[in-house]
């Protein structure tokens, strides 16, 4: 489990780290996240040159390549503003693994300072903004999926649940084996496709059997895997990013619906 974090006062400005998956597959999630942050009175800065956080290289054992990626990303955010990231697994990479990557390097202190500024989206809303969301939507039933990496390293399940409880007309239903991995795991799904397929079939079935209308998640990597499996199965049930769901519920959507 990660060590408890010390949270700063609510800032006036933040950087948004959308992640490569959001940028490539669902840019409207990034626009909705900006709208939600702006609704909290925060100016949002988006750096177009941002790319991958380096996690795929790092988890595959390519340490030097991961260092080069991390160096390029840290250089893009020179001002001391918090960096709000739309993925718990990417956030875990920056908060916990950047300092390990640069341990003993000349940039060790830079990596440590950078890591302290990184907050996963739901963590930032819950613990830094201390948001009090006002639900404006119709009654609905959802279930929550949290990345296993995000649960372990960033406590995303706790922060997400805290935000969803503030939405008065949203009933959050429990799914069986909610702590289990969806089978994506970045390069794991490429190296072990049969195991990954069995895992995502279990995960998608448990989410559907919760009785919810849809599922929400704060990690697009998991959603890409689960939604792909659901589409392959011919299921109408699917998920969307928590930033999109919250933006819609509080009436500040910035992307196309």
């Amino acid at each position: 489990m990660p060590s408890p974090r010390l949270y700063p006062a609510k800032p006036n400005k933040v950087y948004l780290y959308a992640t490569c998956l959001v940028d490539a597959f669902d840019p409207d999630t990034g626009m909705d996240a900006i709208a939600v942050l702006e609704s909290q009175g925060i100016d949002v800065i988006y750096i177009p040159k941002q790319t991958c956080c380096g996690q795929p290289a790092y988890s595959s054992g390519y340490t030097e390549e991961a260092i080069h990626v991390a160096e390029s990303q840290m250089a893009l955010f020179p001002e001391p503003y918090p960096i709000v990231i739309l993925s718990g697994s990417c956030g875990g990479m920056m908060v916990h693994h950047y300092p390990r990557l640069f341990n003993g390097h000349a940039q060790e202190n830079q990596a440590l300072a950078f890591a302290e500024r990184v907050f996963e989206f739901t963590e930032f809303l819950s613990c830094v903004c201390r948001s009090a969301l006002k639900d404006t939507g119709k009654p609905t039933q959802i279930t929550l999926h949290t990345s296993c990496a995000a649960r372990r390293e960033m406590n995303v399940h706790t922060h997400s649940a805290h935000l969803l409880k503030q939405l008065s007309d949203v009933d959050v239903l429990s799914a069986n084996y909610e702590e289990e991995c969806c089978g994506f795991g970045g390069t794991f799904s490429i190296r072990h496709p049969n195991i990954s397929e069995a895992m995502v079939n279990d995960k998608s079935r448990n989410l559907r059997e919760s009785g919810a209308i849809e599922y929400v998640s704060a990690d697009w990597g998991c959603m890409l895997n689960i939604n792909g499996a659901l589409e392959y199965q011919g299921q109408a049930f699917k998920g969307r990013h928590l930033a999109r769901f919250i933006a819609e519920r509080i009436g500040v959507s910035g992307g196309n619906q």
Side-chain angles (χ1 to χ4, degrees):
M1 290 294 293
S3 300
R5 302 189 72 179
L6 296 177
Y7 291 106
K10 180 181 172 181
N12 294 319
K13 292 183 179 181
V14 299
Y15 289 114
L16 179 71
Y17 199 98
T19 76
C20 52
L21 289 180
V22 168
D23 183 54
F25 293 102
D26 189 20
D28 285 332
T29 284
M31 298 302 296
D32 280 344
I34 290 173
V36 172
L37 292 168
E38 289 178 341
S39 76
Q40 303 298 306
I42 297 172
D43 291 333
V44 181
I45 303 168
Y46 180 79
I47 306 297
K49 290 184 178 180
Q50 62 181 269
T51 58
C52 175
C53 67
Q55 184 186 51
Y58 178 71
S59 61
S60 298
Y62 294 99
T63 303
E64 290 302 316
E65 289 81 355
I67 287 174
H68 291 320
V69 173
E71 287 174 335
S72 69
Q73 296 310 291
M74 291 192 299
L76 294 175
F77 304 93
E79 299 298 329
Y81 309 136
I83 301 162
V84 180
I85 191 164
L86 296 179
S87 167
S89 57
C90 298
M93 175 65 187
M94 291 179 163
V95 172
H96 300 290
H97 300 290
Y98 273 20
R100 294 172 184 169
L101 268 179
F102 290 97
N103 184 33
H105 287 238
Q107 293 171 286
E108 180 177 3
N109 288 337
Q110 180 188 358
L112 289 168
F114 183 86
E116 290 180 354
R117 295 164 51 205
V118 175
F119 301 93
E120 185 271 331
F121 177 73
T122 63
E123 175 190 29
F124 183 78
L125 289 178
S126 296
C127 302
V128 180
C129 292
R130 295 174 175 82
S131 301
L133 304 177
K134 294 184 179 180
D135 194 358
T136 62
K138 297 179 180 179
T140 190
Q141 292 180 315
I142 65 166
T143 190
L144 174 67
H145 169 74
T146 50
S147 153
C148 51
R151 293 176 72 97
R152 293 193 305 269
E153 295 183 334
M154 301 296 285
N155 290 321
V156 171
H157 58 302
T158 301
H159 305 312
S160 297
H162 174 73
L163 293 176
L164 290 172
K165 285 180 181 178
Q166 297 177 19
L167 302 174
S168 56
D169 280 322
V170 175
D171 187 11
V172 182
L173 305 178
S174 297
N176 290 330
Y177 305 105
E178 62 180 21
E179 297 180 6
E180 289 192 359
C181 177
C182 73
F184 179 58
T187 56
F188 175 85
S189 59
I190 299 173
R191 293 176 177 176
H192 307 285
N194 293 334
I195 298 173
S196 176
E197 181 182 8
M199 293 171 73
V200 75
N201 285 340
D202 284 345
K203 175 61 67 173
S204 59
R205 183 183 66 254
N206 287 324
L207 290 171
R208 284 190 293 107
E209 291 178 352
S210 69
I213 295 172
E214 64 178 332
Y215 79 90
V216 298
S217 176
D219 199 301
W220 233 99
C222 296
M223 291 174 58
L224 188 66
N225 188 38
I226 299 169
N227 281 351
L230 288 165
E231 184 176 358
Y232 183 79
Q233 297 162 12
Q235 300 289 342
F237 183 85
K238 64 179 182 179
R240 54 178 163 159
H241 196 281
L242 190 57
R244 300 223 72 191
F245 184 74
I246 289 175
E248 178 186 273
R249 298 302 301 188
I250 65 175
V252 298
S253 295
N256 295 321
Q257 295 302 307

